[in-house]
Structure formats: C-alpha cells, structure tokens
Amino acid sequence: MGLKQIREEIDAIDSQMKELFQTRMELSRQVIESKKQTKAAVYVPEREQEVLETCSDKVAEELVSGIKAFFRKIMEISRSYQYAQLVEEDAELKKLPQKEGSVSLSFDCPQGSGQFASCLSVLTDSGLTPEEILAERQGDACHCRIRISGDFSVESAKAAALFVRKETEHFTIN
C-alpha cells in the first residue's frame, strides 16, 4: 500500500472519529444535564479509572500508554465541556476579569496524579496564556500557582478556571 492510499485511509478514519467525537460530546451534554439535577460531581476519578482500564484491555502492550493518554484527553475535553454548562452557577468565578486580563490561580494537586498537567492543558486549550508557573512539592501534594492571561469573557476560559477549581484542592483566585 502506497503512502497516498495510507493517508486516504487515515483521513477516512479521522472523519469517523470526528463523527464519534460529536456524538460523545452530545452524550456528555446529556450527562451534565442529569448531574445538574442530582448535584453530582463532574469529575469522578473512579469512573475515569474504570474507563482507562476498559479501553486499554486487549490492546497491544506498546499502545497501552498511548490509548490511555488518548482517552484521558477525551475525558478532559468532556469535563471541560460540562464545566462550561456550570460557569454561571459558580460565585468564585466572579473574581475573574470580565474581559482581557490576568490572574493567579493557586491550588494543590495530589502528587503524581497528573492533575497539574490536566489543569495546564485545559487552561491553554481554552486560549489562556500561562505567564508564570510555580509547582512545588508539599508533602503528598503539589502546590501550584499559575499566572494566566487572556480573554476571560470567553466561555471556554471560564470553564477552564472552573475545571481547575473543581478538580483541585485549596483553590484561590488572586
């Protein structure tokens, strides 16, 4: 099979993945509607661990870390999408600038949890720019401070801040 044909097959798979992604996000929207009514948490680490175990079952050993990273990112995007549906309900976000500006977010993450990387990823994916990052180990936690700038009037920026607030401990906006 030539390179051109391989690329055509990849393009076809990407098209299918795009359709599946949109379907998954619609289901994610339905999940948050249900969670709004029950006041259930968006982030349920046990559920995500279950998904990661299931998705990596019967996958070639050399692909396990890649498929876990792929599904972690999908779940991260899904949670961020869900948080976007909750931004108006969160009083703490009123401390964010109403337009262009910068703030410092301080929070703690369990050491080795990967939450710091997720938070940074969601913030940058939302169009915010990290200007200063400090992360230091304090016991079993990683204390983090990120100074970010950007347009906080955009829903995705507010959703990213809510993501960090809800998925970390000792969160403050300065």
Side-chain angles (χ1 to χ4, degrees):
M1 186 179 329
L3 183 58
K4 183 177 185 215
Q5 187 177 7
I6 293 169
R7 287 182 173 161
E8 287 172 359
E9 286 192 33
I10 288 173
D11 290 346
I13 290 169
D14 288 348
S15 181
Q16 292 171 351
M17 288 174 59
K18 181 172 73 173
E19 289 178 32
L20 289 171
F21 175 77
Q22 290 180 78
T23 302
R24 190 183 199 289
M25 295 309 288
E26 171 54 27
L27 292 169
S28 184
R29 187 197 59 74
Q30 293 175 32
V31 165
I32 195 58
E33 291 305 319
S34 175
K35 287 183 175 186
K36 279 180 179 180
Q37 293 181 2
T38 62
K39 306 279 192 236
V42 170
Y43 181 49
V44 182
E46 300 80 21
R47 168 70 179 140
E48 295 205 3
Q49 188 58 40
E50 183 182 300
V51 170
L52 292 174
E53 288 172 15
T54 301
C55 77
S56 61
D57 188 39
K58 297 181 182 161
V59 171
E61 185 63 35
E62 68 270 14
L63 300 176
V64 169
S65 64
I67 197 147
K68 283 184 175 182
F70 177 75
F71 276 92
R72 272 190 202 100
K73 187 64 178 179
I74 289 171
M75 290 185 290
E76 179 184 287
I77 292 166
S78 181
R79 292 193 322 271
S80 185
Y81 179 70
Q82 290 180 24
Y83 285 125
Q85 312 307 310
L86 301 172
V87 294
E88 297 305 320
E89 301 172 14
D90 195 280
E92 184 74 11
L93 297 183
K94 304 277 188 244
K95 296 178 183 176
L96 292 173
Q98 298 303 306
K99 51 185 179 176
E100 287 279 334
S102 66
V103 294
S104 287
L105 306 179
S106 297
F107 54 91
D108 294 339
C109 299
Q111 190 72 28
S113 68
Q115 279 308 102
F116 176 73
S118 287
C119 290
L120 188 58
S121 174
V122 166
L123 290 166
T124 57
D125 287 350
S126 73
L128 297 171
T129 303
E131 295 178 348
E132 180 182 330
I133 300 172
L134 171 69
E136 57 187 354
R137 188 176 187 161
Q138 293 181 349
D140 291 341
C142 179
H143 178 70
C144 310
R145 192 186 75 208
I146 302 175
R147 182 147 195 84
I148 53 172
S149 64
D151 185 356
F152 289 91
S153 68
V154 177
E155 184 179 271
S156 61
K158 293 175 190 171
L162 186 57
F163 181 107
V164 177
R165 181 171 124 51
K166 294 287 191 173
E167 297 196 10
T168 63
E169 298 176 0
H170 309 109
F171 175 90
T172 59
I173 298 173
N174 301 311

